[in-house]
Amino acid sequence: MNKITVYERADFEGLSREFTCDVPDLHELDFGDCIASLKVVGQPWIAYTQPKYEGEPHVFEEGEYEAVERPNSFSALRLVHHDLLDPQITLYERPHLQGACKVVSEETNLAYGYFNDRVASHVVQRGVWLLYQHPNRGGWHCLAWPGERVDDYGAQLNFQARLSHLRPLRPGRPTVTARLLWDQKRIEEEREVLVDEIVGVNETESEQALAAGSTREYSTTLWQSFRFSNATSLRAGLSFTLTVEAGNVFTVHKGRSESSTRRERSEVALPAKVPPRTQLTVHVLRKEVTLSVPVVLTITQNEAVRTEMGEYRSVSGTNVCARFSMRPLPAGGTGTEEQTENVAGTERAHSVQVGQEAMGTEPGDSLCVEQVHTGC
């Protein structure tokens, strides 16, 4: 929404009023010549020193102004409704759009070139422009509106050959809503990463229980990023949220590192029974999936709505599971050997000695490995 909130004192104190449309005379609303600070959301506003949009114009673009340059002097407010995304103005060195010309589409200090103090007429193709008498936004200034044609600066603006700086007004920040097209998602890669290995050896003639750490916690990760289309009109500084799932709301920042990492804890319970003269090996695995999902961006700005495309990408390693294997011990086994082999992605290898005396359990139970997170 485009709105302006005005205050009678600096630092947003005192009486206040909020407006969403033009106000030709603030005195009729009992708020004339008393504005000392203000806040703008959306499109720029023009404050005039006289009613009916007369007098000296002062431009306020989106932002907060703790103290205005001319306090207690504004009598009218005007909202800029025009499209400000692609500004363009053509300057001419002679009246009636004659002589050499210069096309400008961004803020320009003419003092750095050959057109300084040489402009006598102009035509505005798009956007709203501020024209300044001196470089660096200095001196007397005036507004130039889209479609406007000024044939003679001397007669119409009293501004003959005195233009040194100009800039277009900035549009307000758009509102962006994002929708993921899950039916068009693409899985780029799937792989399993070994994060833990637990070995239990039963050298006895009786079934024994493996009870080395009944529950273990493992860190899981989620990398997220967002890529805008090459033709996006969104500028740096914009941010919006992307609801990926109920517990994952990803904030996109245009122009900054558009990625995040989330760390969680996953628990894998490992109670098990080991048959006589058997080695049990438990592998704890994390399944990492890289996927991309198209995203439709609905952009609302100054009552105009358009759509653009983007892409959400994630590398998720949040799916943890446990797998086990058993093999009989060779005849004449000498006991448990510590597992020390290095495996890519392994956080730590474990060796557990299992025996009836150490475990304090009774034989006769069956082997059981509980798998907390499935999907591997």
Side-chain angles (χ1 to χ4, degrees):
M1 177 182 292
N2 302 316
K3 67 178 181 179
I4 185 171
T5 306
V6 294
Y7 301 82
E8 67 170 342
R9 298 176 187 169
D11 299 318
F12 319 117
E13 295 183 353
L15 296 176
S16 66
R17 296 286 190 276
E18 182 179 293
F19 303 105
T20 58
C21 59
D22 295 352
V23 183
D25 193 345
L26 285 165
H27 297 88
E28 295 180 355
L29 302 177
D30 301 314
F31 220 78
D33 298 326
C34 69
I35 298 174
S37 59
L38 57 88
K39 299 178 181 179
V40 172
V41 175
Q43 290 286 99
W45 288 74
I46 314 297
Y48 293 87
T49 55
Q50 296 181 22
K52 310 296 182 182
Y53 317 121
E54 299 290 341
E56 184 180 349
H58 292 262
V59 175
F60 296 97
E61 293 165 317
E62 188 168 40
E64 298 185 354
Y65 301 81
E66 297 177 353
V68 300
E69 183 179 349
R70 291 281 302 273
N72 307 322
S73 63
F74 299 146
S75 298
L77 298 173
R78 183 179 182 184
L79 172 64
V80 177
H81 294 277
H82 305 80
D83 184 1
L84 305 177
L85 287 177
D86 186 24
Q88 180 177 306
I89 184 173
T90 303
L91 310 175
Y92 296 85
E93 68 170 346
R94 296 179 184 174
H96 306 291
L97 314 182
Q98 299 296 314
C101 67
K102 181 179 181 63
V103 177
V104 181
S105 58
E106 59 187 354
E107 181 168 5
T108 302
N109 188 342
L110 296 176
Y112 295 144
Y114 296 110
F115 238 70
N116 186 44
D117 290 338
R118 291 177 54 191
V119 182
S121 58
H122 75 241
V123 60
V124 180
Q125 284 82 22
R126 297 181 297 274
V128 179
W129 292 79
L130 272 171
L131 311 179
Y132 296 89
Q133 177 184 10
H134 300 314
N136 302 316
R137 303 185 184 184
W140 187 83
H141 64 272
C142 67
L143 285 163
W145 299 90
E148 176 182 272
R149 171 174 170 158
V150 176
D151 289 323
D152 190 342
Y153 274 23
Q156 295 175 257
L157 299 180
N158 192 26
F159 211 40
Q160 177 66 34
R162 298 170 65 189
L163 178 61
S164 292
H165 196 110
L166 68 162
R167 72 175 183 94
L169 299 191
R170 298 190 304 269
R173 288 174 296 178
T175 301
V176 180
T177 57
R179 179 169 60 91
L180 288 93
L181 304 179
W182 285 110
D183 58 329
Q184 301 179 30
K185 72 177 180 181
R186 182 167 60 93
I187 297 178
E188 300 178 0
E189 182 183 6
E190 290 183 282
R191 69 189 187 111
E192 290 182 342
V193 178
L194 179 64
V195 297
D196 203 354
E197 182 180 67
I198 304 170
V199 177
V201 179
N202 181 8
E203 293 184 328
T204 71
E205 300 299 329
S206 303
E207 185 178 71
Q208 304 296 330
L210 168 65
S214 60
T215 301
R216 296 177 184 272
E217 292 187 350
Y218 301 93
S219 294
T220 57
T221 57
L222 174 64
W223 291 271
Q224 302 178 102
S225 64
F226 188 90
R227 183 175 65 184
F228 293 87
S229 66
N230 294 332
T232 183
S233 62
L234 299 175
R235 300 183 179 181
L238 179 84
S239 65
F240 59 91
T241 58
L242 184 63
T243 303
V244 181
E245 55 188 2
N248 181 15
V249 179
F250 176 50
T251 301
V252 178
H253 297 276
K254 184 72 167 64
R256 290 168 48 186
S257 177
E258 296 149 8
S259 63
S260 70
T261 301
R262 185 177 67 187
R263 300 189 68 86
E264 297 178 340
R265 308 293 293 182
S266 293
E267 294 186 356
V268 177
L270 301 170
K273 297 294 184 179
V274 184
R277 302 199 59 78
T278 301
Q279 175 177 299
L280 169 69
T281 302
V282 180
H283 285 160
V284 180
L285 303 165
R286 179 173 62 232
K287 185 177 181 180
E288 291 188 352
V289 179
T290 301
L291 63 84
S292 59
V293 184
V295 180
V296 177
L297 301 178
T298 302
I299 304 166
T300 305
Q301 187 171 37
N302 196 24
E303 300 179 359
V305 180
R306 65 184 187 278
T307 59
E308 293 184 3
M309 294 300 297
E311 181 185 69
Y312 167 78
R313 192 170 185 271
S314 71
V315 180
S316 174
T318 58
N319 198 358
V320 177
C321 68
R323 287 180 179 172
F324 70 89
S325 62
M326 290 182 290
R327 66 178 180 85
L329 292 176
T334 58
T336 301
E337 297 179 358
E338 186 176 3
Q339 307 296 309
T340 57
E341 180 182 0
N342 291 325
V343 181
T346 302
E347 293 181 354
R348 186 178 179 185
H350 299 271
S351 175
V352 181
Q353 175 71 44
V354 179
Q356 183 173 359
E357 180 179 353
M359 304 306 301
T361 58
E362 297 295 331
D365 294 328
S366 61
L367 175 66
C368 175
V369 175
E370 179 181 354
Q371 186 171 306
V372 176
H373 294 273
T374 60
C376 289

